[in-house]
Amino acid sequence: MRTILLLVLSCVSLSVHAQQRPMVQTTKVEGTDGVYIFRNGNHQAMFIVTNDGVIATDPVAYGRPDGGKTYIDEIRKVTDKPIKYLIYSHHHFDHIAGGQAFKDAGAKIVAHKRTKERLAVLQDPHTPLPDETFDKRRTIKLGGTALELSYHGLNHSDSSLVMRLPKEKIIFIVDTFPVGAFPGRGFIDFYPLEAEKFGQQVLKVDWERMIPGHPGPNDRLGTKKDVEDQLTLWRDASEAVKVAAREGKCWDGVEKEMKLPKYESMPGYQNGLPFVLRRYCGLWGRGT
Ligand SMILES: [Zn+2]
């Protein structure tokens, strides 16, 4: 019965998010020697195969009891080298649940210190605590590859990392900048003012392609233009709500009446709009 239910849920998930693609997929990033994207449903993570082992990120196994093992099985189709590290992009369970399989395989879990603090309180049974944490910067060096981890302050969460492969000029940032899509539920605890500063900092970093935590349209990777577009979208939404808030229209007036017509053809607009408006009402109509 449980198996049948899971199958049904998987099918629903496929039809809604992945348009009948396989549930799980691993793709080599074009033009790289060993950078891969592992996708499970509508979530994805980056892993890097080096001469001395594998650096994996985000287990993406929330609600998928075998998801972490599935991820490892996919890595094993590419290499038999040991999985040395698992990096958490931030503390949200939909991206980092499922790490036990990596720990069992011998990987060391690395995350921002705030991730560990949050996980330690919440004790999610599917999300092992990091073995190592850092605050601002940490570079993972393995088999001739460097993966730079850095923390630039609040944005989508208070633990979101920028992961950068300097040689490939690739960054992996999860959830903060949806590629080609309107922000969604993740806006519920977003830090609007700080995220704008974060966006400006990310634009100054040297990179060309961004791997997002959710697949972009036709699986395309993000560019600096996508970051600029999100910044513009946040500012447009923020300004519109600010004006309305000062007329006393938060929460009800804004949530029931406001539209952002410039973005209405963007994927995710209908579902995401209430979350974006509510968050900016929190800021301009409330002060938080
Ligand atoms: Zn998140």
Side-chain angles (χ1 to χ4, degrees), residues 187-190 192 240-259 273-288:
F187 234 69
I188 198 163
D189 52 358
F190 180 81
V241 176
K242 180 167 83 176
V243 170
R246 291 179 177 172
E247 293 168 354
K249 292 181 180 165
C250 283
W251 313 88
D252 270 358
V254 165
E255 290 191 16
K256 288 181 181 155
E257 289 157 27
M258 185 173 280
K259 305 279 180 236
L273 185 65
F275 291 91
V276 171
L277 296 180
R278 181 165 293 188
R279 184 64 195 92
Y280 282 113
C281 257
L283 176 64
W284 298 114
R286 185 177 170 89
T288 306

Side-chain angles (χ1 to χ4, degrees), residues 90 92 94-95 156 175:
H90 63 311
H92 291 161
D94 62 323
H95 291 273
H156 162 78
D175 286 345

Side-chain angles (χ1 to χ4, degrees), residues 60-122:
V60 290
Y62 178 72
R64 300 165 185 137
D66 296 327
K69 187 183 169 301
T70 305
Y71 189 171
I72 288 175
D73 290 346
E74 287 291 297
I75 293 173
R76 287 285 160 258
K77 289 180 190 171
V78 176
T79 179
D80 56 6
K81 295 201 188 312
I83 301 168
K84 296 279 197 180
Y85 294 97
L86 174 69
I87 321 291
Y88 289 160
S89 63
H90 63 311
H91 69 271
H92 291 161
F93 297 138
D94 62 323
H95 291 273
I96 65 166
Q100 191 58 45
F102 286 82
K103 263 191 96 82
D104 294 345
K108 192 178 284 179
I109 303 180
V110 180
H112 186 257
K113 65 174 188 177
R114 188 69 187 127
T115 293
K116 185 171 186 179
E117 288 165 7
R118 285 192 176 272
L119 297 181
V121 175
L122 297 172

Side-chain angles (χ1 to χ4, degrees), residues 32-216:
T32 69
D33 286 335
V35 183
Y36 293 83
I37 295 171
F38 167 75
R39 182 181 61 76
N40 191 342
N42 194 40
H43 288 72
Q44 61 186 23
M46 170 180 80
F47 68 90
I48 306 127
V49 178
T50 80
N51 295 332
D52 294 337
V54 178
I55 307 168
T57 66
D58 288 1
V60 290
Y62 178 72
R64 300 165 185 137
D66 296 327
K69 187 183 169 301
T70 305
Y71 189 171
I72 288 175
D73 290 346
E74 287 291 297
I75 293 173
R76 287 285 160 258
K77 289 180 190 171
V78 176
T79 179
D80 56 6
K81 295 201 188 312
I83 301 168
K84 296 279 197 180
Y85 294 97
L86 174 69
I87 321 291
Y88 289 160
S89 63
H90 63 311
H91 69 271
H92 291 161
F93 297 138
D94 62 323
H95 291 273
I96 65 166
Q100 191 58 45
F102 286 82
K103 263 191 96 82
D104 294 345
K108 192 178 284 179
I109 303 180
V110 180
H112 186 257
K113 65 174 188 177
R114 188 69 187 127
T115 293
K116 185 171 186 179
E117 288 165 7
R118 285 192 176 272
L119 297 181
V121 175
L122 297 172
Q123 293 287 321
D124 181 65
H126 306 295
T127 312
L129 293 183
D131 300 299
E132 285 181 19
T133 64
F134 66 98
D135 185 8
K136 300 288 187 210
R137 286 181 182 279
R138 160 101 203 253
T139 298
I140 307 280
K141 287 188 176 157
L142 185 68
T145 295
L147 175 65
E148 298 172 357
L149 314 177
S150 56
Y151 177 70
H152 301 258
L154 304 171
N155 53 92
H156 162 78
S157 76
D158 61 1
S159 63
S160 295
L161 299 182
V162 174
M163 302 190 206
R164 188 175 83 104
L165 289 162
K167 189 173 69 138
E168 292 84 357
K169 292 188 192 284
I170 287 173
I171 57 169
F172 178 50
I173 300 179
V174 171
D175 286 345
T176 312
F177 307 108
V179 170
F182 200 82
R185 289 191 181 90
F187 234 69
I188 198 163
D189 52 358
F190 180 81
Y191 297 88
L193 299 178
E194 295 87 347
E196 283 194 34
K197 285 186 194 148
F198 175 73
Q200 286 160 356
Q201 285 185 32
V202 167
L203 287 172
K204 286 182 195 152
V205 173
D206 185 19
W207 60 274
E208 289 168 357
R209 291 182 288 176
M210 175 174 65
I211 298 174
H214 300 275

